[in-house]
Amino acid sequence: MIEQPIPGSPLAVCVMPPPAPNAARTAAYPQAIHEILGHAGVCYDTMAVDDLPSALPRYRVLLTVGDADLKEEARAALRRWVLAGGAWLAVAGTCGLADLLDVEVEAPAYSVWGGGGGTLGEGYLTVDHRLHPVLAHLEIPLHFFNGLPVRPHDRPLAGVSDAHQRHTRRAALVETGPGQGHCLLVAPDITGAVVRIRQGVGATRDGVSSPDGTAAICDDVLKSDDGAALDWHFDRLPLRGVPGLNVFSQPVADQWAELLLRALFYLASGAGVSLPVLWLYPRNVSALAHLSHDSDLNEPGKARRMLDALRSLDLASTWCIVLPGYPPDLMTAIRAAGHELATHFDAMTEGCPFTEAEFDRQHSELVGSFQGDAPVTNKNHYLRWEGDTEFFEWLIARGIRLDESKGASKTGEAGFNFGTCHPYRPIAPDGSTLDILELPTLSQDLMVFAPRELLSPLLEAAERHHGILHLLFHPAHIDKPGVEDALRGAVGAARMKGFEWWTARRIEAWERARRAVVWSGYSQRPGGASVMVTTPGRLEGATLMWLAPSAARVSVDGATAEDGAVVRWGFRFQTAVLDMESEHRLAIGRVAP
């Protein structure tokens, strides 16, 4: 049991150093673990590999990402710590301690020059123990792209199928209990899968169209979906009530991130560790919704009809304006109604190439028409995209802080074709994190782009995975049969589930402020734990949570909080909702039976 305060958390995260250039890797973008945990609001410390022998005794839970040939001193320290009761989550590596994890690392099938060590390659995690808390959120096999190939000595919690979903003898998730310790090995590369699925690969040529004719992305127009990584056969599901249409109804990248969180909470619960978390949204809201409008054709009459509909719904949305934009009086009316003005970069019209110079020209003209309201959001016309992350750099240089250009341009790829309904910071090819958020566009106009039945699985997934339902409705389609009714139905259905509708500007501001929170001075003693949480700005309605498997009470600055328990990511948390300013001492204590 931790008796003395530690820097910030009983959980330490250690990213293994990268192998030498041209050597095999089991984990891509391992530093992206900080993006995943930072968005989730988990309280954790970082640990350098060289500090592992001296720092490890202060912690109760350890997460390692990647593989490395640890020095003997570090290996021995990790072994002692686990056997004495430590909880270890290993991702895509055994750190030379395969026996502790009860697996055998599989060697390459053939020894060749430059082959390096064994790698898992592309495949799918298949669930063998569906009721296990770490896997209970999964409905389909999870697509991955690399990892560590291991053979289990006993039946694993999850197995591995290859890229064609043929069964293998390899393990994806293994649980062991050596000595007094507790270990989980996730053999697939979580960070690499999350980054590849959310961002795709560089769009340099047309992608491969779906074999059923519903998503002809090979269309001589480069768009974000040309780089999408998910599979037409295995990552889509039939849309209920619409024969012949398959869609991406499962947010695969979010499910990988949740598997990681569930594994951490599972280990922490088993070790009796009270782990603090800053929840995703204010006031304990379970999920959000977001409505955007692209001003294509810039028709004032249809824009005013959209404004009237939004006024009757009491909803603020994000208007992505393409040049030449609406008349000044209409732009003023949109802003006066509480809506956000955003840019809509046009690289489709003849004479408008996808270049930084053209983006700069359009951005400057649009900013001039926004009457001093500097835009923070962008979405590209037709979801155009070229290259890898270069476009994000253009946006950052001009003050854009959230983009919505990753998404579906064809009906058969509607839904989570980039595997997520959460805002995330992209990862550059060199592994650095870019200071901008991407929030994918899940669907365009219901009743035009996709049938109304699409709403149900998107709403269910956003609720289940605590994400953001982002729907695009063009003013140009507002007068088409059923479109306004579909819009009203979507707003009402989300509100019935407790979703709040936010603009992109509000989403970005909240996410940035929430990520600025700092944890410090964690301590845990029999019967309770406490931690200091500091925010540089104001966070209204912030929801602070303690992992609490049993009944407990939470106090803030010495005063007992009256908020109850919630289940998030499959685990029970005790919550406190407050307006955060400066420093707060958050404590939790068990309730006597």
Side-chain angles (χ1 to χ4, degrees), residues 156-410:
L157 297 175
V160 168
S161 295
D162 67 14
H164 303 282
Q165 291 207 358
R166 296 174 298 194
H167 175 71
T168 76
R169 294 175 58 196
R170 295 169 168 176
L173 179 62
V174 176
E175 180 176 11
T176 62
Q180 300 178 59
H182 192 183
C183 300
L184 286 173
L185 168 65
V186 182
D189 172 16
I190 293 179
T191 56
V194 168
V195 172
R196 190 178 187 90
I197 294 169
R198 289 196 308 200
Q199 295 180 215
V201 297
T204 59
R205 61 186 67 194
D206 264 337
V208 177
S209 298
S210 66
D212 58 8
T214 62
I217 62 173
C218 185
D219 57 3
D220 201 29
V221 178
L222 287 182
K223 303 173 299 301
S224 62
D225 53 11
D226 286 307
L230 291 177
D231 188 87
W232 294 119
H233 294 283
F234 301 129
D235 297 322
R236 292 192 303 171
L237 292 174
L239 179 58
R240 294 189 299 267
V242 185
L245 180 58
N246 295 307
V247 296
F248 292 101
S249 57
Q250 297 286 327
V252 176
D254 292 343
Q255 290 172 346
W256 272 118
E258 183 168 335
L259 186 149
L260 175 80
L261 295 174
R262 283 172 171 259
L264 287 174
F265 298 143
Y266 177 65
L267 289 175
S269 297
V273 172
S274 296
L275 192 63
V277 176
L278 176 58
W279 177 238
L280 297 168
Y281 312 117
R283 298 175 301 280
N284 220 348
V285 171
S286 177
L288 297 180
H290 168 58
L291 187 63
S292 66
H293 317 289
D294 299 351
S295 76
D296 305 4
L297 305 180
N298 292 309
E299 299 167 288
K302 294 179 180 179
R304 290 191 174 92
R305 179 170 172 180
M306 179 67 77
L307 269 178
D308 289 341
L310 298 176
R311 187 180 300 111
S312 68
L313 290 167
D314 191 24
L315 186 150
S317 59
T318 296
W319 293 64
C320 301
I321 308 298
V322 68
L323 287 176
Y326 294 121
D329 64 325
L330 183 51
M331 300 282 272
T332 299
I334 293 172
R335 292 176 65 244
H339 304 295
E340 174 191 6
L341 293 178
T343 58
H344 196 44
F345 174 43
D346 178 12
M348 278 292 291
T349 300
E350 186 176 354
C352 296
F354 197 97
T355 64
E356 186 172 9
E358 178 61 21
F359 176 78
D360 188 62
R361 179 189 73 81
Q362 293 186 28
H363 178 266
S364 297
E365 290 190 31
L366 287 168
V367 169
S369 71
F370 287 1
Q371 304 164 353
D373 186 13
V376 300
T377 304
N378 173 79
K379 186 196 300 142
N380 288 348
H381 192 38
Y382 278 80
L383 302 179
R384 283 275 282 117
W385 196 277
E386 294 186 19
D388 194 349
T389 59
E390 299 88 344
F391 182 68
F392 286 126
E393 300 282 2
W394 304 355
L395 295 173
I396 293 168
R398 289 155 185 85
I400 298 295
R401 300 198 293 266
L402 186 146
D403 180 70
E404 302 180 337
S405 302
K406 299 282 187 177
S409 72
K410 302 292 191 293

Side-chain angles (χ1 to χ4, degrees), residues 4 105 233 243 292 299 358 390 421 443 477 530:
Q4 299 297 323
V105 178
H233 294 283
S292 66
E299 299 167 288
E358 178 61 21
E390 299 88 344
C421 52
S443 176
H477 298 315
S530 66

Side-chain angles (χ1 to χ4, degrees), residues 465-479:
H465 299 288
H466 307 300
I468 301 177
L469 175 72
H470 175 193
L471 301 178
L472 162 61
F473 278 85
H474 293 78
H477 298 315
I478 191 65
D479 61 349

Side-chain angles (χ1 to χ4, degrees), residues 29 145 369 397 462 490:
Y29 312 109
F145 298 89
S369 71

